[in-house]
Amino acid sequence: MILPIYIYGQQVLRKVASDIPADFPQLQQLISDMFETLTDSEGIGLAAPQVGKDIRVVVIDLDVLAEDMPEYKGFRKAFINPHIIEYDERETDTMEEGCLSLPGIHEKVTRPTRIRVRYEDAERQEHDEWVEGYLARVMQHEFDHLDGKVFVDRISPFRKTMIKSKIKALLQGRYQCSYKTKAAIKR
């Protein structure tokens, strides 16, 4: 089932999400719905708060980038209770980011190129690993959602001033996108 994506201004996007217990009901259905929603919206990552759930679940599908990044062929994965344990700050990279919850806004964000993450996979097997490159960037972006942050929190004050009118438009429900959404106010 395709779920509505919550737009900037929705309170759930600013909450710190909770870890979920082993017996969390209908987790596999939620993961399936999140992947379907992600595909419908043509995104590469989606966190549970973006569909109105304040729990620590993220889905990432980098297979759509396989033509340009063959190392991600077949990469479609769910992350349960993910946490970034360590940032390797020795090397950073600046790239433009966008977000399904902030349609029409794209800004350059600097992030470490390597992180250590701890999470459970869809079968609830635990993992503790170092991740680098583009996947590390996507994980940082999506895992930020689980900590009540969005990518515009990581841009300079000058850039925040420059996009102030775009942010205001989102808060007022004035935006267009091709996927199902839930605005912060009634449209």
Side-chain angles (χ1 to χ4, degrees), residues 84-97:
I84 297 174
I85 305 303
E86 192 175 340
Y87 294 89
D88 182 346
E89 303 278 356
R90 291 176 293 180
E91 192 174 324
T92 61
D93 187 29
T94 302
M95 288 181 72
E96 189 172 274
E97 293 187 16

Side-chain angles (χ1 to χ4, degrees), residues 79-157:
F79 299 86
I80 300 161
N81 296 332
H83 293 273
I84 297 174
I85 305 303
E86 192 175 340
Y87 294 89
D88 182 346
E89 303 278 356
R90 291 176 293 180
E91 192 174 324
T92 61
D93 187 29
T94 302
M95 288 181 72
E96 189 172 274
E97 293 187 16
C99 181
L100 296 172
S101 292
L102 290 103
I105 298 177
H106 296 85
E107 290 291 325
K108 290 185 177 181
V109 179
T110 301
R111 296 186 187 268
T113 58
R114 187 169 178 260
I115 56 172
R116 181 175 162 216
V117 295
R118 187 174 295 143
Y119 65 91
E120 297 168 31
D121 61 27
E123 287 75 43
R124 302 302 298 253
Q125 298 299 307
E126 291 185 22
H127 299 265
D128 185 329
E129 59 195 31
W130 283 94
V131 178
E132 55 189 55
Y134 192 69
L135 177 58
R137 172 172 294 277
V138 175
M139 285 178 154
Q140 288 173 80
H141 177 107
E142 297 306 330
F143 296 0
D144 271 356
H145 282 297
L146 304 178
D147 294 325
K149 295 184 177 113
V150 292
F151 81 96
V152 293
D153 297 338
R154 298 195 178 276
I155 63 175
S156 72

Side-chain angles (χ1 to χ4, degrees), residues 33-52:
D33 291 347
M34 287 176 68
F35 272 122
E36 188 175 349
T37 302
L38 182 62
T39 300
D40 179 70
S41 61
E42 299 180 357
I44 58 172
L46 187 66
Q50 292 180 274
V51 293

